[in-house]
Amino acid sequence: QVQLVESGGGSVQPGGSLRLSCAASRRPYSREVFGWFRQAPGKERDFVALIRSRGGSEFYADSVKGRFTISRDNPKNIVYLQMNNLKVEDTAVYYCAVGSQYESNSRAYEAWGQGTQVTVAS
């Protein structure tokens, strides 16, 4: 099973930016989909963005559309989440996941990273 390791989290002020990275232990299969999810304290894990391992086709949650960008570097086996204009409500633990369906439901994903904390506060 693929291993995923997230990095790049931290603390920023509202309006700031962060770039999260998700390093996979192997090259992605052609039909795989990478997703980013987040979970704030006391809340369920929410979908953020996803991308196919081949061919792009990004999809975003409405709450992050226009502010976040998901991308991938297949030769390096890394998926990124560029987060701009961060808001206090973006504070959460962010998780990277991989699955075989183009799906925003977390149940469709088969492997998960350990998460990285993002805190947005003034």
Side-chain angles (χ1 to χ4, degrees), residues 52-105:
R52 295 186 189 277
S53 62
R54 297 285 188 270
S57 297
E58 305 95 73
F59 181 70
Y60 298 92
D62 288 343
S63 58
V64 306
K65 201 173 296 181
R67 301 188 297 121
F68 291 11
T69 303
I70 188 171
S71 62
R72 50 178 170 62
D73 185 335
N74 285 347
K76 295 183 178 179
N77 301 340
I78 296 177
V79 175
Y80 300 102
L81 184 68
Q82 177 67 44
M83 306 186 296
N84 297 328
N85 191 21
L86 282 160
K87 303 177 180 181
V88 171
E89 51 264 41
D90 294 319
T91 296
V93 177
Y94 283 70
Y95 297 90
C96 174
V98 64
S100 56
Q101 300 178 51
Y102 192 78
E103 175 61 61
S104 61
N105 190 321

Side-chain angles (χ1 to χ4, degrees), residues 27-61:
R27 292 187 67 180
Y29 301 141
S30 60
R31 298 175 68 99
E32 283 184 327
V33 176
F34 285 88
W36 283 98
F37 293 79
R38 65 186 182 186
Q39 188 167 19
K43 295 188 177 181
E44 295 185 351
R45 190 169 297 187
D46 290 333
F47 166 75
V48 174
L50 62 82
I51 188 170
R52 295 186 189 277
S53 62
R54 297 285 188 270
S57 297
E58 305 95 73
F59 181 70
Y60 298 92

